[in-house]
Amino acid sequence: MTTFSRRGLHGHVVDVLGRRIMRGELVSGDIIDQDALLTEFQVSRTVIREAIKVLTTKGLVDARPRLGTYVTERERWQLLDGDVMTWRSEGVPDALLVLELSEVRQVLEPAAARLAAVRRSDEECAEIQAAMSALAATFASTEAESHVKADLVFHRAVLAASGNELLARFEVVLEPALHARNELAFENETTTHFLDSHQAVVTAIVAQDADGAHAAMQLLMNQSARDSETIVSTDAAGAALVKERKQAL
């Protein structure tokens, strides 16, 4: 789960190439012509070489004698890398990413809420309650960005209160998950039902009700998954993907 600096010539080249691979402009097996990159970006060969090294560590490219640098098979991509996740979720995110992130959240976040109810400190409890208040403040807003930020802070607070550092780091997946959903479609989700579902999680954690916190978060994640399926199903390809994944269960 690593990130690189997007500043400077080196960062720019990495960012552009990473986006091209994630968007399918460069596909597995495509040769990356470094001489062409020198002309396109007007940078030194050292800059190109260092950019390729970064992409190699993320599993996106590799090199072979007499073949050169090429885009690797998808199975080798470091999909949990922070930059790779960001590249996949920016612009128009792919439907598979939205569905898979929802599934991961269904698995992890209810368990995190259960742990938070048992382990949270008074300070962490206050942070969760403050995050809930900030989220409720977006009730009248139709701006996606403010809503996503507030929701992200809420879920980060719950993950942090779990007392598990690995779960807390799940935010590298959580943030693009929320952005991906709302890049595809954002309707004013801050309905009374939406807020009540979040408040049920808060109430259970404050009361140190582990079973209640797990159940409340599970309901919230199940609803989020259904919303994601609805969003993805707005076109034929997305609807087919949702149907295929349901049949596999």
Side-chain angles (χ1 to χ4, degrees), residues 130-139 146-152 154-155 190 194-195 198:
M132 181 67 229
S133 296
L135 182 59
T138 67
F139 184 85
S146 63
H147 174 87
V148 171
K149 285 181 178 180
D151 201 21
L152 176 61
F154 174 83
H155 288 279
T190 44
F194 172 83
L195 293 177
H198 281 72

Side-chain angles (χ1 to χ4, degrees), residues 67-135:
L67 177 63
T69 303
Y70 65 97
V71 179
T72 59
E73 302 82 3
R74 187 182 182 91
E75 291 75 16
R76 295 177 59 183
W77 297 354
Q78 301 296 321
L79 295 178
L80 290 181
D81 177 273
D83 297 316
V84 173
M85 188 69 67
T86 297
W87 290 327
R88 287 188 72 193
S89 62
E90 288 179 338
V92 179
D94 66 69
L96 179 61
L97 172 65
V98 174
L99 296 178
E100 287 187 338
L101 287 173
S102 290
E103 291 174 356
V104 171
R105 294 185 72 194
Q106 282 179 294
V107 172
L108 294 183
E109 292 204 56
R114 179 188 291 278
L115 291 174
V118 175
R119 296 174 174 172
R120 93 293 186 279
S121 64
D122 290 342
E123 292 78 10
E124 289 168 333
C125 213
E127 288 178 6
I128 292 172
Q129 291 173 309
M132 181 67 229
S133 296
L135 182 59

